[in-house]
């Protein structure tokens, strides 16, 4: 029971509570308009904080491992999208779910959890900071571009409109750049109040999720998604994660990476960012479509945390055992 509590992400419980609230009391009419405005403000604040937290020192300290970073980015933005396209060809996967699974595959890596799991596994933490940060930064550009290229009207979605491009610039890119440029003045404040700003960060995501699922519920989301389809979704997320974990393991061996760098590739390459996915989906897709689009990443988020937590503990225990044996000898 204690292990289950440790594996469950408290933030996921808050997300589920937010989805439940939106399902029971969805925002309608003027309330929906206000919720949308507040959610947009939350997206701006979220990416402003992301820009302010990105350290140039951390980037330069780990940027030397270029082969590792290219392998991680290739896994995130090439191998994973190809896997998403393959899954979308399965005939038993509902259309809305295909769109969400493909969007999941196009997202950048996580930052905090990738670095944390790398540290637990005794991997190259500096390189993990670089790989995860680069992935998140490039995701602002690459994820919308991949959505435009792969989620066509004939497939899983629609092309990006001019208003979506404006949203990407004004709600994602501009706040990120401004936050990073202001880092010399606000970086100390961000570092000192990391926990408080983390709550603001997550609160912004909860606002976007509530607005998105409210619109989806009003459009009849739960009448279109059955419990059987949710089980299928969980099974597909597990299968995708297993495939990518095995792929990164084999790729690390093929490239001759050290144990520490191979751990970075596995954790940074296999993770997908809920924190980036929620606001990007809010900018790219119509309000009623965001809820179904976000279901796969919400499910995948918890699965990846549980699986990677177990892997990180195993790798860390192996490294400690090896270190102990070497010190004894």
């Amino acid at each position: 029971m204690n292990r289950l509590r440790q594996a469950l992400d408290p933030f996921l419980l808050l997300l589920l509570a937010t989805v439940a609230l939106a399902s029971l009391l969805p925002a309608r009419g003027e309330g929906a308009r206000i919720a949308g405005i507040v959610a947009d403000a939350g997206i701006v604040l979220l990416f402003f904080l992301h820009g302010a937290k990105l350290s140039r020192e951390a980037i330069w300290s780990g940027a030397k491992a270029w082969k590792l970073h290219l392998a991680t980015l290739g896994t995130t933005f090439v191998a994973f999208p190809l896997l998403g396209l393959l899954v979308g060809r399965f005939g038993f996967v509902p259309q809305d779910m295909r769109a969400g699974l493909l969007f999941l595959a196009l997202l950048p890596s996580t930052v905090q959890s990738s670095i944390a799991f790398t540290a637990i596994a005794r991997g190259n933490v500096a390189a993990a900071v670089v790989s995860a940060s680069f992935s998140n930064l490039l995701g602002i550009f690459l994820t919308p571009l991949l959505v435009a290229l792969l989620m066509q009207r004939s497939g899983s979605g629609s092309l990006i409109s001019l208003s979506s491009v404006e949203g990407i610039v004004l709600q994602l890119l501009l706040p990120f750049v401004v936050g990073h440029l202001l880092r010399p003045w606000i970086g100390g404040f961000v570092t000192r109040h990391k926990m408080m700003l983390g709550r603001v960060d997550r609160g912004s995501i909860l606002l976007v999720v509530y607005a998105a699922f409210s619109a989806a519920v009003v459009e009849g989301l739960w009448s279109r998604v059955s419990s059987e389809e949710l089980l299928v979704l969980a099974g597909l997320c597990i299968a995708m994660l297993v495939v990518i974990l095995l792929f990164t393991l084999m790729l690390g061996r093929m490239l001759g990476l050290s144990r520490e760098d191979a751990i970075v590739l596995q954790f940074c390459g296999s993770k997908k960012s809920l924190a980036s996915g929620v606001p990007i989906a809010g900018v790219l897709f119509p309000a009623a479509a965001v809820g179904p689009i976000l279901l796969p990443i919400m499910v995948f988020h918890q699965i990846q945390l549980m699986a990677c937590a177990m892997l990180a503990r195993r790798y860390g225990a192996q490294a400690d055992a090896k270190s102990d044996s070497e010190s004894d000898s």
Side-chain angles (χ1 to χ4, degrees):
M1 191 68 179
N2 289 333
R3 288 185 177 182
L4 179 61
R5 288 197 190 99
Q6 292 173 359
L8 284 173
D9 179 15
F11 183 52
L12 181 77
L13 301 180
L14 288 174
L15 280 171
L16 293 176
T18 302
V19 171
L21 177 63
S23 300
L24 296 173
L25 297 171
R28 301 173 184 270
E30 184 64 15
R33 189 183 72 83
I34 295 173
I37 293 173
V38 174
D40 288 345
I43 292 174
V44 171
L45 178 61
L46 184 68
F47 275 81
F48 175 82
L49 292 176
H50 280 199
K53 287 187 286 189
L54 182 62
S55 167
R56 276 172 246 184
E57 292 78 11
I59 291 176
W60 291 119
S61 67
K64 298 176 182 178
W66 60 269
K67 184 166 65 172
L68 166 63
H69 303 319
L70 287 178
T72 303
L73 293 174
T75 301
T76 301
F77 295 114
V78 179
F80 225 130
L82 290 174
L83 178 60
L85 288 172
L86 177 62
V87 170
R89 297 180 67 87
F90 296 161
F92 61 87
V93 182
Q95 184 66 27
D96 285 347
M97 199 176 292
R98 293 179 195 176
L101 286 167
L102 180 53
F103 180 69
L104 154 69
L106 306 181
L107 291 173
S109 178
T110 61
V111 178
Q112 290 92 340
S113 59
S114 293
I115 297 168
F117 288 144
T118 299
I120 293 170
R122 311 295 187 267
N124 186 341
V125 176
V129 171
V130 176
S131 280
S133 299
F134 276 176
S135 178
N136 252 248
L137 179 60
L138 290 176
I140 299 176
F141 307 95
L142 289 182
T143 295
L145 177 62
L146 289 171
V147 167
L149 292 174
L150 302 179
M151 300 182 72
Q152 307 290 331
R153 288 188 177 88
S154 58
S156 304
S158 59
L159 291 170
I160 294 181
S161 64
L162 180 59
S163 61
S164 295
V165 174
E166 292 174 353
I168 293 166
V169 173
L170 296 178
Q171 292 181 255
L172 308 184
L173 181 57
L174 182 60
F176 185 94
V177 171
V178 171
H180 190 61
L181 291 176
L182 291 177
R183 179 175 170 79
W185 294 276
I186 65 175
F189 177 85
V190 170
T191 302
R192 290 192 303 271
H193 299 84
K194 187 179 295 185
M195 290 186 63
M196 181 188 73
L197 293 178
R199 295 190 185 101
V200 174
D201 199 18
R202 294 188 169 197
S204 300
I205 296 173
L206 294 176
L207 285 171
V208 178
V209 168
Y210 176 74
F213 273 87
S214 289
V217 168
V218 170
E219 294 293 323
L221 169 65
W222 298 124
S223 64
R224 304 197 309 264
V225 180
S226 65
S227 57
E228 290 81 6
E229 288 173 338
L230 288 176
L231 288 175
V232 169
L233 175 60
L236 288 170
C237 287
I238 292 172
M240 291 175 72
L241 180 61
V242 169
V243 169
I244 288 296
L245 286 173
L246 291 174
F247 174 80
T248 52
L249 180 64
M250 292 185 293
L251 182 60
R253 291 175 178 173
M254 288 174 55
L255 295 175
L257 298 179
S258 65
R259 175 192 175 277
E260 291 77 12
D261 285 353
I263 286 173
V264 175
L265 173 59
Q266 189 160 56
F267 286 131
C268 293
S270 65
K271 308 290 284 303
K272 288 296 180 178
S273 176
L274 177 68
S276 296
V278 170
I280 289 176
V283 172
L284 294 181
F285 301 102
V290 173
I293 289 287
L294 288 178
L295 267 180
I297 181 58
M298 291 179 65
V299 174
F300 189 86
H301 174 78
Q302 182 60 38
I303 292 171
Q304 72 181 4
L305 287 180
M306 295 175 68
C308 291
M310 290 187 289
L311 271 178
R313 293 190 193 106
R314 179 184 175 186
Y315 291 156
Q318 290 174 346
D320 290 343
K322 183 179 179 180
S323 177
D324 291 342
S325 65
E326 289 176 350
S327 61
D328 291 340
S329 61

